[in-house]
Coordinates of all heavy atoms in Angstrom, one line a residue:
M1 N 174.8 97.6 89.3 CA 174.5 96.2 89.7 C 175.7 95.3 89.5 O 176.0 94.5 90.4 CB 173.3 95.7 88.8 CG 172.9 94.3 89.1 SD 172.3 93.9 90.7 CE 170.6 94.5 90.6
H2 N 176.3 95.4 88.4 CA 177.4 94.5 88.1 C 178.6 94.8 89.1 O 179.2 93.8 89.6 CB 177.9 94.7 86.7 CG 178.8 93.5 86.3 ND1 180.1 93.5 86.4 CD2 178.5 92.3 85.7 CE1 180.6 92.4 86.0 NE2 179.6 91.6 85.6
Q3 N 178.9 96.0 89.4 CA 180.0 96.3 90.3 C 179.7 95.8 91.7 O 180.6 95.2 92.4 CB 180.2 97.8 90.4 CG 181.3 98.3 89.4 CD 181.6 99.8 89.7 OE1 180.7 100.5 90.0 NE2 182.8 100.2 89.4
S4 N 178.5 96.1 92.2 CA 178.2 95.7 93.6 C 178.0 94.3 93.8 O 178.3 93.7 94.9 CB 176.9 96.5 94.0 OG 177.1 97.8 93.9
H5 N 177.4 93.6 92.8 CA 176.9 92.2 93.1 C 177.5 91.2 92.1 O 177.1 90.0 92.1 CB 175.4 92.1 93.1 CG 174.8 93.1 94.1 ND1 174.9 92.9 95.4 CD2 174.1 94.2 93.9 CE1 174.3 93.9 96.0 NE2 173.8 94.7 95.1
N6 N 178.4 91.6 91.2 CA 179.0 90.8 90.2 C 178.0 90.0 89.3 O 178.2 88.8 89.0 CB 180.0 89.8 90.9 CG 181.1 90.5 91.6 OD1 181.6 91.6 91.1 ND2 181.5 90.0 92.7
M7 N 177.0 90.7 88.9 CA 176.0 90.1 88.0 C 175.3 91.2 87.3 O 175.2 92.3 87.7 CB 175.0 89.2 88.8 CG 174.0 89.9 89.6 SD 172.9 88.9 90.5 CE 174.0 88.2 91.7
S8 N 174.8 90.8 86.1 CA 174.0 91.7 85.3 C 172.6 91.8 85.9 O 172.1 91.0 86.6 CB 174.0 91.3 83.9 OG 173.3 90.1 83.7
Y9 N 171.9 92.9 85.5 CA 170.5 93.0 85.9 C 169.7 91.9 85.3 O 168.7 91.5 86.0 CB 170.0 94.4 85.5 CG 168.6 94.6 86.0 CD1 168.4 94.9 87.3 CD2 167.5 94.5 85.2 CE1 167.1 95.1 87.8 CE2 166.2 94.6 85.7 CZ 166.0 94.9 87.0 OH 164.7 95.1 87.5
A10 N 170.0 91.5 84.1 CA 169.2 90.4 83.5 C 169.3 89.1 84.3 O 168.3 88.4 84.5 CB 169.7 90.1 82.1
E11 N 170.5 88.8 84.8 CA 170.7 87.6 85.6 C 170.0 87.8 87.0 O 169.3 86.9 87.5 CB 172.2 87.4 85.9 CG 172.5 86.1 86.7 CD 173.9 85.9 86.9 OE1 174.8 86.7 86.4 OE2 174.3 85.0 87.7
Y12 N 170.1 89.0 87.5 CA 169.4 89.3 88.8 C 167.9 89.1 88.6 O 167.2 88.5 89.5 CB 169.7 90.8 89.2 CG 168.8 91.3 90.3 CD1 169.1 91.1 91.6 CD2 167.7 92.1 90.0 CE1 168.4 91.6 92.6 CE2 166.9 92.6 91.0 CZ 167.3 92.4 92.3 OH 166.5 92.9 93.3
S13 N 167.3 89.6 87.5 CA 165.8 89.5 87.4 C 165.4 88.1 87.0 O 164.2 87.8 87.2 CB 165.4 90.5 86.4 OG 165.9 90.3 85.1
R14 N 166.3 87.3 86.4 CA 165.9 86.0 85.9 C 165.8 84.9 87.0 O 165.0 84.0 87.0 CB 166.9 85.6 84.9 CG 166.6 84.3 84.1 CD 167.5 84.1 82.9 NE 168.9 84.2 83.2 CZ 169.8 85.0 82.7 NH1 169.4 85.9 81.8 NH2 171.0 85.0 83.0
K15 N 166.7 85.1 88.1 CA 166.8 84.0 89.1 C 166.3 84.5 90.4 O 166.9 85.4 91.0 CB 168.2 83.5 89.2 CG 168.8 82.9 87.9 CD 170.2 82.5 88.1 CE 170.8 81.8 86.9 NZ 172.1 81.4 87.1
L16 N 165.3 83.9 91.0 CA 164.7 84.3 92.3 C 165.7 84.1 93.4 O 165.9 85.0 94.2 CB 163.4 83.5 92.6 CG 162.8 83.8 93.9 CD1 162.4 85.3 94.0 CD2 161.6 82.9 94.1
D17 N 166.4 83.0 93.4 CA 167.3 82.7 94.5 C 168.5 83.7 94.5 O 168.9 84.2 95.6 CB 167.9 81.3 94.5 CG 168.6 80.9 93.3 OD1 168.3 81.4 92.2 OD2 169.6 80.2 93.4
T18 N 168.9 84.1 93.3 CA 170.0 85.1 93.2 C 169.5 86.5 93.7 O 170.1 87.2 94.5 CB 170.5 85.2 91.8 OG1 170.9 84.0 91.3 CG2 171.6 86.2 91.6
R19 N 168.3 86.8 93.3 CA 167.6 88.0 93.8 C 167.5 88.1 95.3 O 167.8 89.1 95.9 CB 166.3 88.2 93.1 CG 165.8 89.5 92.9 CD 164.5 89.6 92.1 NE 164.3 88.6 91.1 CZ 163.2 88.2 90.6 NH1 162.1 88.7 91.1 NH2 163.1 87.3 89.7
L20 N 167.1 87.0 95.9 CA 167.0 87.0 97.3 C 168.3 87.2 98.0 O 168.4 87.9 99.0 CB 166.3 85.6 97.8 CG 164.8 85.5 97.4 CD1 164.4 84.1 97.7 CD2 164.0 86.5 98.0
K21 N 169.3 86.5 97.5 CA 170.7 86.7 98.1 C 171.1 88.1 98.0 O 171.7 88.7 99.0 CB 171.7 85.8 97.4 CG 171.5 84.3 97.8 CD 172.5 83.5 97.0 CE 172.2 82.0 97.3 NZ 173.1 81.1 96.5
V22 N 170.9 88.8 96.9 CA 171.3 90.2 96.7 C 170.5 91.0 97.7 O 171.1 91.9 98.3 CB 171.1 90.6 95.2 CG1 171.1 92.1 95.1 CG2 172.0 89.9 94.3
E23 N 169.2 90.8 97.8 CA 168.4 91.6 98.7 C 168.8 91.4 100.2 O 168.8 92.4 101.0 CB 166.9 91.4 98.5 CG 166.5 91.8 97.1 CD 166.8 93.3 96.8 OE1 166.7 94.1 97.6 OE2 167.1 93.5 95.6
E24 N 169.2 90.2 100.5 CA 169.6 89.9 101.9 C 170.9 90.7 102.2 O 171.1 91.3 103.2 CB 169.8 88.5 102.1 CG 168.5 87.7 102.2 CD 168.8 86.2 102.3 OE1 169.9 85.7 102.2 OE2 167.8 85.4 102.4
K25 N 171.8 90.7 101.2 CA 173.1 91.4 101.4 C 172.8 92.9 101.5 O 173.4 93.6 102.3 CB 174.0 91.1 100.2 CG 175.3 91.8 100.3 CD 176.2 91.5 99.0 CE 177.5 92.3 99.1 NZ 178.3 92.2 97.9
R26 N 172.0 93.4 100.6 CA 171.6 94.8 100.7 C 171.1 95.2 102.1 O 171.4 96.3 102.6 CB 170.6 95.2 99.7 CG 171.1 95.4 98.3 CD 170.0 95.9 97.4 NE 170.5 96.0 96.0 CZ 169.7 96.2 95.0 NH1 168.4 96.2 95.1 NH2 170.2 96.3 93.8
Q27 N 170.2 94.4 102.6 CA 169.6 94.6 103.9 C 170.7 94.6 105.0 O 170.7 95.5 105.9 CB 168.5 93.6 104.2 CG 167.7 93.9 105.5 CD 166.9 95.1 105.5 OE1 166.4 95.5 104.4 NE2 166.8 95.8 106.6
R28 N 171.6 93.6 105.0 CA 172.6 93.6 106.0 C 173.5 94.9 105.9 O 173.8 95.4 106.9 CB 173.5 92.4 105.7 CG 173.0 91.1 106.4 CD 174.1 90.0 106.4 NE 174.8 89.9 105.1 CZ 174.4 89.0 104.2 NH1 173.4 88.3 104.3 NH2 175.1 88.9 103.1
E29 N 173.9 95.2 104.7 CA 174.7 96.4 104.5 C 174.0 97.7 105.0 O 174.6 98.6 105.6 CB 175.1 96.6 103.0 CG 176.1 95.5 102.6 CD 176.4 95.6 101.1 OE1 175.7 96.3 100.3 OE2 177.4 94.9 100.7
F30 N 172.7 97.8 104.7 CA 171.9 98.9 105.2 C 171.9 99.0 106.7 O 172.1 100.0 107.3 CB 170.5 98.8 104.6 CG 169.6 99.9 105.2 CD1 169.6 101.2 104.8 CD2 168.6 99.5 106.2 CE1 168.8 102.1 105.3 CE2 167.8 100.5 106.7 CZ 167.9 101.8 106.3
E31 N 171.6 97.8 107.4 CA 171.6 97.8 108.8 C 172.9 98.1 109.4 O 173.0 98.8 110.4 CB 171.1 96.4 109.3 CG 169.6 96.2 109.0 CD 169.2 94.7 109.2 OE1 170.0 93.9 109.6 OE2 168.0 94.5 109.0
E32 N 174.0 97.6 108.8 CA 175.4 98.0 109.3 C 175.6 99.5 109.2 O 176.2 100.1 110.1 CB 176.4 97.2 108.6 CG 176.4 95.7 108.9 CD 177.4 94.9 108.0 OE1 178.1 95.5 107.2 OE2 177.3 93.7 108.0
S33 N 175.2 100.0 108.1 CA 175.4 101.5 107.9 C 174.6 102.3 108.9 O 175.1 103.3 109.5 CB 175.1 101.9 106.5 OG 173.7 101.9 106.2
Q34 N 173.4 101.8 109.2 CA 172.6 102.5 110.2 C 173.2 102.4 111.6 O 173.2 103.4 112.4 CB 171.2 101.9 110.3 CG 170.4 102.1 109.0 CD 170.2 103.6 108.7 OE1 169.7 104.4 109.6 NE2 170.6 104.0 107.5
K35 N 173.8 101.3 111.9 CA 174.5 101.2 113.2 C 175.7 102.1 113.3 O 176.0 102.8 114.3 CB 175.0 99.7 113.4 CG 173.9 98.8 113.7 CD 174.4 97.4 113.9 CE 173.3 96.4 114.0 NZ 173.8 95.0 114.1
M36 N 176.5 102.2 112.2 CA 177.6 103.1 112.2 C 177.2 104.6 112.3 O 177.8 105.3 113.1 CB 178.4 102.9 110.9 CG 179.3 101.7 110.9 SD 180.4 101.6 109.5 CE 179.3 101.5 108.1
I37 N 176.1 104.9 111.6 CA 175.6 106.3 111.7 C 175.2 106.6 113.2 O 175.5 107.7 113.7 CB 174.4 106.5 110.7 CG1 175.0 106.5 109.3 CG2 173.7 107.8 111.0 CD1 173.9 106.4 108.2
A38 N 174.5 105.6 113.8 CA 174.1 105.8 115.2 C 175.3 106.0 116.1 O 175.3 106.8 117.0 CB 173.2 104.6 115.6
Q39 N 176.3 105.2 115.9 CA 177.5 105.3 116.7 C 178.2 106.7 116.6 O 178.6 107.4 117.6 CB 178.6 104.3 116.4 CG 178.2 102.9 116.8 CD 179.2 101.8 116.3 OE1 180.0 102.1 115.4 NE2 179.1 100.6 116.9
V40 N 178.3 107.2 115.3 CA 178.9 108.5 115.1 C 178.0 109.6 115.7 O 178.5 110.5 116.3 CB 179.1 108.7 113.6 CG1 179.5 110.1 113.3 CG2 180.2 107.8 113.0
D41 N 176.7 109.4 115.5 CA 175.8 110.4 116.1 C 175.9 110.5 117.6 O 175.9 111.6 118.2 CB 174.4 110.0 115.7 CG 173.4 111.2 115.6 OD1 173.9 112.3 115.3 OD2 172.2 111.0 115.8
R42 N 176.0 109.3 118.3 CA 176.2 109.3 119.7 C 177.5 110.0 120.1 O 177.5 110.8 121.1 CB 176.2 107.9 120.3 CG 174.8 107.3 120.4 CD 174.8 106.0 121.3 NE 175.7 105.0 120.7 CZ 175.3 104.1 119.8 NH1 174.0 104.1 119.4 NH2 176.1 103.2 119.3
K43 N 178.6 109.8 119.4 CA 179.8 110.4 119.7 C 179.8 111.9 119.5 O 180.4 112.7 120.3 CB 181.0 109.8 118.9 CG 181.3 108.4 119.3 CD 182.4 107.8 118.4 CE 182.7 106.4 118.9 NZ 183.7 105.7 118.0
L44 N 179.1 112.4 118.5 CA 179.0 113.8 118.3 C 178.1 114.5 119.3 O 178.3 115.7 119.5 CB 178.4 114.0 116.9 CG 179.3 113.7 115.7 CD1 178.6 113.8 114.4 CD2 180.6 114.6 115.7
H45 N 177.1 113.9 119.9 CA 176.2 114.5 120.7 C 176.4 114.2 122.2 O 175.4 114.1 122.9 CB 174.8 114.2 120.3 CG 174.4 114.7 118.9 ND1 174.3 116.0 118.6 CD2 174.3 114.0 117.7 CE1 174.1 116.1 117.3 NE2 174.1 114.9 116.8
R46 N 177.6 114.0 122.6 CA 177.8 113.7 124.0 C 177.8 115.0 124.8 O 178.1 116.0 124.5 CB 179.2 113.0 124.2 CG 179.1 111.6 123.8 CD 180.4 110.9 124.1 NE 180.2 109.5 123.8 CZ 181.1 108.6 124.0 NH1 182.3 108.9 124.4 NH2 180.9 107.3 123.7

């Protein structure tokens, strides 16, 4: 938690707005990784 988001788990669990920002960032990163995987997959299966 600290490496990825520069905060402790205690801080994450204590503040709702902080938690929401972290979860939004996680979601964006997940969606970006899914797009990259799809691009690589398309290139491999031409």
Side-chain angles (χ1 to χ4, degrees):
M1 176 64 79
H2 196 271
Q3 264 185 329
S4 298
H5 305 290
N6 298 323
M7 71 182 69
S8 66
Y9 184 76
E11 183 181 352
Y12 169 83
S13 61
R14 191 171 48 238
K15 298 180 180 179
L16 178 61
D17 61 325
T18 303
R19 209 176 322 158
L20 290 174
K21 287 178 186 175
V22 167
E23 294 307 321
E24 287 172 357
K25 181 181 176 190
R26 281 186 182 165
Q27 185 65 31
R28 274 194 314 272
E29 290 173 348
F30 173 76
E31 290 171 0
E32 289 172 9
S33 69
Q34 292 300 305
K35 288 177 186 177
M36 285 191 291
I37 290 169
Q39 288 175 345
V40 169
D41 207 30
R42 279 194 300 271
K43 289 180 182 179
L44 289 175
H45 297 291
R46 282 185 175 180

